[in-house]
Amino acid sequence: LFHKAWKWCDSVTAQAQPLRREQIKNFFRRVDQMLNRVMGLHSNPRASQRFRPGGPKTLRLIVSDHGHGSSNGRVFINNLLKDWGFLTPLNPLRRASRRLTLLTMNAATRKARSRELPLDWSRTRAYLAHVGIYGFVYINLKGREPHGVVAPEDFDNVRNALIERFLSEKIPGTDLPLFIKVHKGEEIYARKQALDLPDLVVVPADGYYPRKKLTRGSPVRVTPHSVGGVHRTEGIYVFEGPGIVKSGGVGVRANIADIAPTVLAALGQPIPSSMTGKPMLHIFGDDP
């Protein structure tokens, strides 16, 4: 719903559409009713599981892996890499040959192979492999990539040149940065090499959603009047149950990695030292 109708959900931009705003509220009221049935929560204390004497001690969690906000535009990062000279698509003849080859494959193989980028790997030094809120970029490194062309001794130079290009890119028609941060993979991932994680993590400005596919036209599409929304990094967490301290509606900021060790702590289980997050002990009346 947030993806398709953010402007009618957001209390700031929904004022011009009071009827749609009320429809959104009714939708969430209905969702709340269904959640109440699933969790056994009712306005009548006698009917609610959480007030039953001697009943189970139930800890209830609602946790989101991201938040939401307005959609300001889309960024086709592989198109930017092409414009900067780091990436070369297949020429039309080779793309047609690739399509014919796909037709000879079984359905499962065809589906998997069709997701591969149609690139001339011999002339590609970097590419966006996948996206989320951020864009994940790999260097086409010799000895690591199947068709690598960048020599290991040139890796840092290519990566630093990419960082400079990303950070210098502006939102069209403004002097504002299109990318607010660019992280080297090893700055974020402790097991970057072992798990073959990205060489660069690029962070677009709020509301600019990275896309993987190569497309015709501008690599940056500004959409100021979009009704839909896109992800934000700030999500929510809600804990409810016996021994949970009331927060007054606003809790302490936490990291998504803190959720798993908090659940382990609530269950009285040991927390592995390899876990990144820390238990959120402030939510408990007594330390678990």
Side-chain angles (χ1 to χ4, degrees), residues 60-255:
R60 301 180 179 92
L61 294 78
I62 296 175
V63 182
S64 74
D65 62 330
H66 60 77
H68 240 87
S70 61
S71 174
N72 300 322
R74 293 171 293 165
V75 186
F76 296 87
I77 292 180
N78 279 322
N79 281 73
L80 285 175
L81 294 173
K82 176 174 74 73
D83 291 350
W84 298 339
F86 288 92
L87 176 153
T88 303
L90 289 176
N91 62 42
L93 182 61
R94 292 181 64 185
R95 292 186 79 156
S97 174
R98 179 175 179 268
R99 291 193 195 100
L100 288 173
T101 303
L102 288 174
L103 292 175
T104 66
M105 300 175 178
N106 61 54
T109 305
R110 183 166 62 249
K111 185 177 180 180
R113 291 292 299 274
S114 65
R115 293 174 179 162
E116 295 175 3
L117 289 165
L119 301 182
D120 182 346
W121 294 105
S122 67
R123 299 167 62 198
T124 293
R125 293 181 293 159
Y127 61 99
L128 180 85
H130 48 97
V131 294
I133 295 178
Y134 302 153
F136 304 102
V137 176
Y138 287 80
I139 308 298
N140 192 20
L141 185 65
K142 279 183 181 178
R144 184 187 69 183
E145 306 286 320
H147 308 286
V149 296
V150 177
E153 59 269 23
D154 295 329
F155 176 87
D156 286 333
N157 288 337
V158 172
R159 186 163 68 166
N160 288 337
L162 277 169
I163 293 172
E164 186 177 342
R165 290 306 303 256
F166 277 116
L167 292 178
S168 65
E169 194 70 17
K170 304 296 182 185
I171 296 172
T174 77
D175 198 36
L176 300 173
L178 180 61
F179 298 96
I180 55 177
K181 289 181 183 176
V182 181
H183 298 285
K184 294 179 179 179
E186 61 271 21
E187 296 171 351
I188 296 178
Y189 305 113
R191 299 181 62 198
K192 176 195 176 306
Q193 300 298 336
L195 299 178
D196 194 21
L197 295 170
D199 297 315
L200 287 175
V201 177
V202 296
V203 183
D206 273 354
Y208 285 86
Y209 204 67
R211 300 296 301 275
K212 172 184 173 180
K213 69 178 183 179
L214 280 161
T215 183
R216 293 186 177 91
S218 172
V220 184
R221 315 281 175 84
V222 179
T223 56
H225 305 296
S226 173
V227 173
V230 295
H231 295 177
R232 294 291 194 278
T233 53
E234 294 80 14
I236 62 166
Y237 69 89
V238 182
F239 285 78
E240 190 271 349
I244 299 298
V245 176
K246 289 187 177 181
S247 68
V250 180
V252 177
R253 278 189 73 90
N255 190 294

Side-chain angles (χ1 to χ4, degrees), residues 22-38:
E22 192 57 32
Q23 289 175 323
I24 297 293
K25 287 184 176 180
N26 287 336
F27 170 84
F28 282 110
R29 290 185 186 113
R30 181 67 179 136
V31 171
D32 284 346
Q33 290 170 2
M34 290 188 284
L35 285 173
N36 288 344
R37 290 179 63 186
V38 170

